[in-house]
Amino acid sequence: MNTRPILDNMNLPLLGMSLAAILVAFVFAAVGTAYVLRRARGTIQEPKIRLWAKIGWAVFAVYVVGYMTYFYKKAEPVVIAYPFTAGDRALASGHYKEALDDYKAVVARYPNFGMAHYKLGMLYRVVKQVDGSIAELKKAIALDPNLAPAYFALGSILWTRGTAMDAMPYFEKGLTLDPKTPQRPFFQQIIDRAKKEKAGLIKPGTSGRPHLSPASPAAASSSIPPSGANTP
């Protein structure tokens, strides 16, 4: 499967600081070289200084090229075989423990792969480990901010546990990413309810609200979270 760039074990803020340091070093080296050569112009030391300046700039250029090449290769999109086959098969057969073990192994292998955390979070939802599901779905969103199903799934869980206002930001973001989702009417219904809750027109989390249907194993193995609604 084609994935987003998997920059495992890389600290991106630190990478940015490193690139900034290279730029600053370049500026200081250029200014320093110009100053020294100007002071040495016409003296007996000028040829020697120019030689060492050329050597220094050559070494600096080699370092920068090597540094950038390394991170360019690390940042290239990674193509991996679909890693969820065994877990999906176990889940479809009702062997939840085996499926959990496999999904956890995928997360351990690709800790920065948002879809892996999403799949594990959905399975936690199936086996009613709601806190674990919320944690994994939040990780999925943090790693892959464009993963619309994770927003829908997290919003659905927060809706069932709390209020429409809890779910609203996730449903709104999900609809921004996937405006044509078949479940848009339901998500919009919750968003509209959240606005009424904020305005004090209805009581947050009243018992008369519609509830989501239980997550099904088949739905958890797909890329779309189970978010259908039952009529009360």
Side-chain angles (χ1 to χ4, degrees), residues 140-197:
I141 289 172
L143 292 167
D144 188 351
N146 295 317
L147 190 58
Y151 290 95
F152 295 142
L154 182 55
S156 297
I157 293 174
L158 296 178
W159 161 243
T160 59
R161 297 187 78 182
T163 69
M165 289 185 289
D166 297 326
M168 183 174 71
Y170 296 100
F171 286 161
E172 286 182 330
K173 180 63 176 180
L175 290 178
T176 299
L177 296 170
D178 185 12
K180 296 183 179 180
T181 175
Q183 295 167 321
R184 183 184 182 96
F186 173 75
F187 297 141
Q188 190 61 55
Q189 175 188 357
I190 305 306
I191 292 171
D192 294 341
R193 181 185 179 87
K195 293 177 180 178
K196 293 179 181 179
E197 289 181 353

Side-chain angles (χ1 to χ4, degrees), residues 21-160:
I22 289 177
L23 178 60
V24 172
F26 173 82
V27 172
F28 272 91
V31 173
T33 301
Y35 176 77
V36 171
L37 288 177
R38 183 177 180 182
R39 293 290 300 272
R41 185 176 301 168
T43 67
I44 193 172
Q45 291 87 9
E46 182 179 3
K48 184 181 295 185
I49 292 175
R50 288 188 177 277
L51 174 62
W52 281 107
K54 291 179 180 178
I55 293 174
W57 277 106
V59 171
F60 182 76
V62 170
Y63 170 78
V64 171
V65 170
Y67 188 87
M68 296 304 297
T69 300
Y70 169 77
F71 281 108
Y72 176 79
K73 290 182 178 179
K74 287 289 291 183
E76 283 184 324
V78 177
V79 179
I80 60 176
Y82 184 77
F84 306 108
T85 302
D88 290 349
R89 187 181 299 116
L91 180 59
S93 301
H95 301 147
Y96 297 154
K97 185 179 184 305
E98 293 180 18
L100 276 172
D101 291 342
D102 187 77
Y103 287 167
K104 287 179 180 179
V106 175
V107 167
R109 196 179 315 138
Y110 304 110
N112 293 337
F113 188 16
M115 179 59 73
H117 290 278
Y118 167 71
K119 297 279 283 190
L120 180 58
M122 292 304 294
L123 182 50
Y124 275 142
R125 181 181 179 184
V126 170
V127 298
K128 309 304 181 185
Q129 295 185 29
V130 181
D131 290 337
S133 179
I134 291 174
E136 290 301 323
L137 290 172
K138 286 183 175 180
K139 288 179 183 178
I141 289 172
L143 292 167
D144 188 351
N146 295 317
L147 190 58
Y151 290 95
F152 295 142
L154 182 55
S156 297
I157 293 174
L158 296 178
W159 161 243
T160 59

